[in-house]
Amino acid sequence: MMFRHCTAIVVSLLLGGCTTFSLNAIIPRATGDLGVVIERASGSVQLVDTSDQRAFASVSGLGDLSHASVVFSRDERFAYVFGRDGGLTKLDLLTSAIDRRVIQSGNSIGGAISQDGRRVAVSNYTPGGVRVFDSDTLDLVADIPATQLSAIDEKTGKPKQARVVGLVDAPGNRFVFSLFDSNEIWIADFSDRSTDQPVITRFEDIGRQPYDALITPDGRYYIAGLFGEDGMALLDLWHPEQGVRRILPDYGRGQQKLPVYKMPHLEGWAIAGNRAFIPAVGRHSVLVMNIDSWEQVAEIPVQGQPVFVMARPDGRQVWVNFAFPKNNSVQVIDTESLAINQTLSPGKAVLHMEFTPRGEQVWVSVRDDGKIHIYDTDTLQLDKVLSAESPSGIFFTARAHRIGL
Amino acid sequence: MMFRHCTAIVVSLLLGGCTTFSLNAIIPRATGDLGVVIERASGSVQLVDTSDQRAFASVSGLGDLSHASVVFSRDERFAYVFGRDGGLTKLDLLTSAIDRRVIQSGNSIGGAISQDGRRVAVSNYTPGGVRVFDSDTLDLVADIPATQLSAIDEKTGKPKQARVVGLVDAPGNRFVFSLFDSNEIWIADFSDRSTDQPVITRFEDIGRQPYDALITPDGRYYIAGLFGEDGMALLDLWHPEQGVRRILPDYGRGQQKLPVYKMPHLEGWAIAGNRAFIPAVGRHSVLVMNIDSWEQVAEIPVQGQPVFVMARPDGRQVWVNFAFPKNNSVQVIDTESLAINQTLSPGKAVLHMEFTPRGEQVWVSVRDDGKIHIYDTDTLQLDKVLSAESPSGIFFTARAHRIGL
């Protein structure tokens, strides 16, 4: 029986069956339990398997991966890695190889994949603006220049463009992003399938220097943090006609202008039930906000300046990591009692956390120890430790199926 | 280059590389955009691809598939199909073939896969109880008999067991289910990894004849519908020590005992924001419930007796299908205004609906027309029609990453 299969395969190969796959691909496997770990110092990534809890491949040659982020194709086969150097790399998780790679700008800060999976958008610092690529070929399909500034770019002799941050996907094949230098939020609507040109809606004077943003898990609310003043900018994507409004007037560095060691990541906002858990800026606390009223309802003291505040998928726990000097530890908050369940000390420079899709484990990157710690989220016990080269971001393929990730 | 690959592959095959895969598997692909369509009349399934919007394989020999349901392995490679005849079939989406199949009981009503993906549980009508299988091998790992009844089973001469319904997975590697004949809800806790024997917690007198149940998307609340009386039974899985309480005292067939053409599916409850949209029993309406207070806040008139009431993943729309004689149509409710957006008429006997993971499309099975209609959920236009043999349930692999699906 096996011999018959072998014969058939050999015949098929000799007849030219090789054209559709490469050697590495020959062992069939699915990708729903895979992920990518960024190794920032070496410009490489590890490919990991959350079922076996191991790394199964390493891929190098991805350029500058500081602050790199990743989105996934809708079939969960390909990872799109956004590098700080403007590199956009399409990584094949089945062959453990780079499928395509383009240097699409001089300096990029992140990206997103459209709801239908057809387009990958990248937000750029230099030259500013958003570039949109075909997710199969990485061919450029739309170029969205940002607002021109009065300053002139030395290289091009043309006016500089506003830097783009906080780019996310939204339902209706839309991308939403913020313009740091021109205080704007834009919606680029790609829902008209007859054209690659989006309809752009601009919101001006949304607040000074939006530096990052998030979209709620249902894709309804886009919220930008402001670097230039306190408060946040909220856009209800169900009602763009109502414009952008300000919420949480005290959110930010405040009157005291406390030293902020690291601006918190807004993508790390945790939404559990009708409450959001938010890293305070510069203060040692996690704020709790009611997302119906958009008002703060509680403040939870934690041991340092929070960076990522992430909810376990069932919303029962929130995990928090911290800026220096508390960046060796993680605290786990019970979302019901708002008490600290436990303080864990994974090691030097805890940079990121990623939950398995249904939340039974969480993977924690410990950069300066070169380790990934895997915890059981039920017992809070350490299940396993893996090695990695200065690991930072961890991204699992289940993000492919989520709005705004 | 290609030739070199071929040579290597051929050598690898001749050296015995055939032992790990079969012929069908040789074209590598990922499975995050795949799904299974039940063809109930023929005991077969179609395997479909939501990126290309096509069926790519048909697999037969799955037995009686009336009321069949499906869950997926955590890598999204395997579909576990629960047949009405007690058959549990493990289907390989990469090889388009049956990997394993067991007849595990005489009459089964559904199943679930544990949070960690290691166990598949099946709830049984005959002989009653729950059987739990290793998800790799389909070896029986735990047998949970249900409460014994006073009636004697003619075949075995032993007391009959209560029929089990409404089986779901919950966080903490738990399964939760209801016992129709003994008015109970049980939790089977498999969180102790040192044993295959679960810890069972029983809740008695929860209400007469629980006939189906659901778990909220966050895995917190388990809610059973009652056939023998009005109202529903609610268990807060964060606080099992508080026991089961009754909610929605008027939910059910009511005083008038209206003719009910088809009991609605509770798995089809839609949760959007803090509201649940629920099919009324026997009445032409969808009920809206606040899930903080568990009280009804609105009633939406619809054109027939609702069967499935399903929320688009972003919660902006709820789609409803109906019992005979309105089973040729679907209504779309705007969850904000509670108005009917549109009434669609796909055709004869609309049985099920499944949204793509991020909600840009919905697949609708139209049994008596032998069709699957694919709609754009933004424009509500029909995008494509596929053929199928009396299609009923549609299940996409993204369910692997969700709690309670």
Side-chain angles (χ1 to χ4, degrees), chain B residues 187-261:
Chain B
I187 300 173
D189 183 332
F190 283 90
S191 62
D192 181 350
R193 281 187 266 174
S194 69
T195 172
D196 277 324
Q197 291 315 304
V199 175
I200 304 282
T201 306
R202 294 170 60 158
F203 301 89
E204 300 180 351
D205 296 322
I206 62 99
R208 282 205 299 279
Q209 296 176 316
Y211 73 96
D212 194 9
L214 72 104
I215 189 166
T216 51
D218 63 2
R220 177 168 182 177
Y221 296 105
Y222 179 84
I223 302 165
L226 301 174
F227 189 78
E229 59 186 304
D230 286 352
M232 306 190 88
L234 171 76
L235 176 60
D236 179 351
L237 294 169
W238 290 14
H239 294 290
E241 76 283 359
Q242 293 175 359
V244 174
R245 67 188 177 99
R246 300 291 285 280
I247 57 169
L248 289 180
D250 298 328
Y251 186 79
R253 289 175 296 171
Q255 296 304 316
Q256 298 176 56
K257 297 289 178 208
L258 292 162
V260 177
Y261 294 105

Side-chain angles (χ1 to χ4, degrees), chain A residues 114 116-121 130-145 173-175 187-200:
Chain A
S114 61
D116 63 8
R118 291 175 54 210
R119 294 179 180 87
V120 173
V130 171
R131 287 199 164 132
V132 183
F133 299 86
D134 180 291
S135 62
D136 270 342
T137 61
L138 296 196
D139 290 341
L140 183 70
V141 292
D143 195 354
I144 308 172
N173 279 314
R174 292 179 291 179
F175 292 113
I187 300 172
D189 183 332
F190 283 89
S191 61
D192 181 351
R193 282 187 265 174
S194 69
T195 172
D196 278 324
Q197 291 315 303
V199 175
I200 304 283

Side-chain angles (χ1 to χ4, degrees), chain B residues 380-395:
Chain B
L380 304 183
Q381 297 298 306
L382 184 63
D383 272 346
K384 199 164 180 178
V385 177
L386 305 178
S387 292
E389 184 84 10
S390 300
S392 55
I394 305 175
F395 304 89

Side-chain angles (χ1 to χ4, degrees), chain B residues 57 77 105 169 175 211 237 273 281 298 302 304 316 365:
Chain B
R77 174 170 181 170
S105 80
D169 64 273
F175 293 113
Y211 73 96
L237 294 169
V281 178
V302 290
R316 182 70 194 264
S365 59

Side-chain angles (χ1 to χ4, degrees), chain B residues 69-73 78-82 111-113 120 395 399 405:
Chain B
S69 63
V70 179
V71 299
F72 294 93
S73 61
F78 299 100
Y80 300 91
V81 183
F82 307 101
I113 185 164
V120 173
F395 304 89
R399 288 172 174 251
L405 289 182

Side-chain angles (χ1 to χ4, degrees), chain A residues 376-391:
Chain A
D376 180 318
T377 64
D378 191 18
T379 61
L380 305 183
Q381 297 298 306
L382 183 63
D383 272 346
K384 199 164 181 179
V385 177
L386 304 179
S387 292
E389 184 85 10
S390 299

